[in-house]
Amino acid sequence: MGGDTGPLRLAAAAGAATVGLFGPTWAGRYGLGSRDGVGSADLQGLPGCPHRRPTAITEQPCWWTAECPLSPAGPACMADIPVASVVRAVTRLCAASRARHPADDR
């Protein structure tokens, strides 16, 4: 589980089940999706952000400044991802992984 960063993408490329947390980047375009039957979950923060530009993320006002135009306290898009949603996604992927590989439950 992690933000839309290199380590999360490496884990997905290595075949690990992943839960990606997407803030300014758009999960619909840049999400990890399911790879080779390995589960993943892409959780999008603030899907209706009026400043998000899915095809030109570096043109978003928050991209270069790391300042959210919607919240002086920090990125509203990341704060919009509820902890309960992350826990549900991780729990679901762990259960699916155990169901696919019962011999690994030693």
Side-chain angles (χ1 to χ4, degrees):
M1 182 213 40
D4 179 21
T5 61
L8 182 72
R9 293 191 172 278
L10 286 172
T18 58
V19 176
L21 308 178
F22 290 82
T25 53
W26 181 43
R29 181 176 179 134
Y30 302 103
L32 300 167
S34 184
R35 294 193 170 30
D36 299 328
V38 175
S40 71
D42 298 326
L43 302 179
Q44 179 72 66
L46 205 58
C49 176
H51 299 284
R52 185 174 287 118
R53 296 182 181 161
T55 59
I57 57 177
T58 59
E59 294 177 15
Q60 296 172 170
C62 60
W63 189 259
W64 295 105
T65 64
E67 294 178 9
C68 178
L70 303 176
S71 172
C77 53
M78 295 306 286
D80 186 56
I81 301 174
V83 171
S85 294
V86 177
V87 170
R88 275 193 304 274
V90 170
T91 302
R92 179 182 55 81
L93 288 173
C94 287
S97 176
R98 282 191 300 274
R100 279 195 306 269
H101 305 290
D104 292 341
D105 288 342
R106 296 175 228 175

